[in-house]
Amino acid sequence: MYRHFGEVDAAERSPLYGRVAVALSESDEALRAIEAAPARKRHPTVILAALHDLALAGRAPGLASAYAATDGDAAADAAVDTLLRMTDSVVALAVRRKTRPDETGRSTVLYPAIAEAARRFGANAVGLIDVGCSAGLNLNVDRVGITYSNGQSLGDPSSPVQLSASIVGDRPVPARVMPEVVTRIGVDLDPVDVTDADEARWLRACLGPDQPERIARLDAEMALAATAPPLLLQGDAVEVMPDAVARVPADALPVVTTTWALSRFRGESRLRFLDRLDEAAAGRPVAWVSVEGVGVAPTIPTLGDRHASGHSLIGLAVFDRSARPAEAIGRCWSRGRVLAWLADS
């Protein structure tokens, strides 16, 4: 598993991690140390993140120096040495933490979809509820700047967080401005508070040390989120959703967002999640914006696309007792880095 990760999975994304993973695979002592962790916590992404966290915390200076120099051979030796010397610390971090390797950049698809939901309801204000929010970075969708390859731009051009995406197809994204966001609520089984130094460091540790652009973007998004921390509700989304919707002021449209979150739900839980949204809409309209793999989001049409096709569908469903059908309003690839808009403007 470690050799495959190093030679295939990490080869292009993080060559440094690729070299380290191969070194771990070649050390019988290192593999025995990894076996001290529970089976579900032995994956390379987990162990490498735990080692990176120790380096960032100043507890493994040799590894930190090798990572800073992006020296693959030195990093490989230091990682094996750190793992053998600090097995208990590595295992403790692996057991306590969840890997979160791709937390940023989703606003490129969320911004136009949320603006479209607000337009359909004639909403002048929205309350955002992000399911599977982790650190709640999606909740700052209105506070980032977005540039598309066709020259369009959305959001705040002066924001410290600037994102970009390529547009494919002949239909531009709507140029509507998102209405005022009056509430930001994150729902997660294990939410991350970016104002907590240990938790913020762990998010950084989940990225490869030789990915400076991604690390810089994550730091910028965390800093932006820290200036207006969202309300984080810990718990199962199916159970927490009524409370979350109730916290949105009556004069604002609750917009629930899921981005690659429902795949972690069992099939029956996905349907119960929709039932909760429908129940919440008994007294007020509720919108649901989804960005999920083909066939993952119930009721969102698949447009004839095949499951596991490598792209995701951007869905919009409205719950207001009007029986309006859910729609697929776009497709996206590479976690929002490429976008095709489908809905009529």
Side-chain angles (χ1 to χ4, degrees):
M1 179 171 63
Y2 273 75
R3 178 173 293 279
H4 183 274
F5 180 86
E7 295 180 346
V8 179
D9 297 341
E12 293 185 7
R13 185 173 67 252
S14 177
L16 190 66
Y17 264 3
R19 179 70 185 88
V20 170
V22 170
L24 294 175
S25 79
E26 294 173 342
S27 169
D28 291 339
E29 290 180 299
L31 294 177
R32 281 194 293 272
I34 291 168
E35 287 181 344
R40 62 187 177 84
K41 292 291 189 174
R42 296 173 188 168
H43 192 274
T45 56
V46 181
I47 299 300
L48 289 171
L51 287 167
H52 194 189
D53 187 86
L54 293 174
L56 291 173
R59 299 175 61 191
L63 182 59
S65 296
Y67 279 170
T70 62
D71 184 331
D73 291 338
D77 292 341
V80 172
D81 177 68
T82 301
L83 176 60
L84 298 182
R85 287 188 303 101
M86 306 181 71
T87 300
D88 291 346
S89 297
V90 172
V91 170
L93 279 167
V95 169
R96 189 171 87 251
R97 298 292 194 181
K98 288 171 51 179
T99 53
R100 306 173 188 271
D102 194 7
E103 293 298 323
T104 67
R106 302 176 185 187
S107 297
T108 56
V109 293
L110 287 175
Y111 191 110
I114 294 170
E116 176 65 14
R119 180 192 71 83
R120 296 188 182 191
F121 282 103
N124 295 316
V126 296
L128 300 181
I129 303 170
D130 191 39
V131 173
C133 70
S134 181
L137 303 183
N138 291 342
L139 294 165
N140 288 303
V141 56
D142 60 315
R143 305 176 67 206
V144 307
I146 306 168
T147 302
Y148 297 99
S149 60
N150 63 356
Q152 286 184 272
S153 61
L154 294 172
D156 182 359
S158 64
S159 172
V161 177
Q162 295 295 318
L163 306 175
S164 62
S166 297
I167 297 291
V168 297
D170 56 4
R171 185 167 293 184
V173 297
R176 301 181 190 91
V177 176
M178 187 186 303
E180 180 186 7
V181 178
V182 297
T183 308
R184 305 173 199 271
I185 302 171
V187 178
D188 197 286
L189 288 172
D190 184 23
V192 174
D193 179 2
V194 296
T195 65
D196 182 290
D198 289 344
E199 296 194 6
R201 186 182 65 244
W202 176 254
L203 286 185
R204 296 186 188 96
C206 290
L207 297 177
D210 53 346
Q211 297 178 302
E213 291 184 2
R214 293 185 67 191
I215 292 172
R217 186 172 68 181
L218 174 62
D219 283 344
E221 292 205 39
M222 288 197 297
L224 183 64
T227 63
L231 171 64
L232 298 176
L233 300 180
Q234 183 173 16
D236 185 298
V238 175
E239 305 303 326
V240 174
M241 191 51 57
D243 180 32
V245 172
R247 291 173 182 263
V248 177
D251 58 351
L253 170 68
V255 180
V256 179
T257 59
T258 64
T259 53
W260 300 287
L262 292 186
S263 60
R264 298 193 291 269
F265 288 37
R266 294 181 178 179
E268 62 272 19
S269 293
R270 297 177 197 175
L271 295 175
R272 288 177 57 214
F273 173 69
L274 260 63
D275 288 340
R276 286 292 195 178
L277 293 180
D278 195 45
E279 292 168 7
R284 67 191 303 183
V286 176
W288 171 39
V289 169
S290 62
V291 188
E292 305 283 354
V294 177
V296 173
T299 75
I300 302 299
T302 61
L303 306 176
D305 298 349
R306 293 180 299 171
H307 293 253
S309 58
H311 70 274
S312 300
L313 292 172
I314 306 166
L316 175 58
V318 295
F319 298 84
D320 62 352
R321 302 306 184 189
S322 66
R324 285 185 280 187
E327 296 179 49
I329 59 175
R331 293 184 177 97
C332 71
W333 294 259
S334 300
R335 297 278 172 156
R337 295 176 181 87
V338 180
L339 168 65
W341 191 259
L342 303 176
D344 292 330
S345 298

